Amino acid sequence: MKPGLLVICGPTASGKSALALELARRLDGWMQGGRDVAFVIGSADGLDRDLKAGADLLLSLSAMTLPHALVRVLLAEQLYRAHSLIRSHPYHRD
């Protein structure tokens, strides 16, 4: 079994910005490779430095500061949008 990926998501601009198409490309690759992926959203106090250092990807969902509860909703919507792109579902519009 291939090792899982750890993706750190946050409400700040401290990671790579992922457009819908890029997230879809990555998600498709992870699924095709049979990879388990854990998306971690930190608390208001942030995340442990070692956890962040061990992440395979730091993903910024917004350049704005957002409540962490809202980040969960944004991540769920972006994953749904990425999955829709992979499946050619009409949910995503260019």
Side-chain angles (χ1 to χ4, degrees):
M1 179 160 80
K2 296 184 180 182
L5 280 113
L6 177 63
V7 179
I8 306 291
C9 299
T12 64
S14 62
K16 294 181 180 177
S17 177
L19 301 172
L21 293 171
E22 175 63 17
L23 183 58
R25 185 190 65 76
R26 286 179 182 268
L27 184 62
D28 189 44
W30 296 333
M31 290 188 311
Q32 295 296 325
R35 305 283 306 266
D36 291 330
V37 180
F39 289 89
V40 176
I41 300 170
S43 70
D45 296 324
L47 289 169
D48 181 76
R49 183 178 299 153
D50 292 336
L51 181 63
K52 288 175 73 173
D56 296 284
L57 175 65
L58 295 176
L59 178 65
S60 175
L61 296 175
S62 175
M64 298 185 299
T65 301
L66 302 169
H68 288 78
L70 182 57
V71 172
R72 289 187 200 103
V73 175
L74 288 173
L75 177 59
E77 195 280 333
Q78 288 302 300
L79 289 172
Y80 180 79
R81 182 177 296 273
H83 189 265
S84 295
L85 282 165
I86 293 166
R87 301 289 181 234
S88 299
H89 188 274
Y91 173 75
H92 177 79
R93 296 185 182 106
D94 289 325

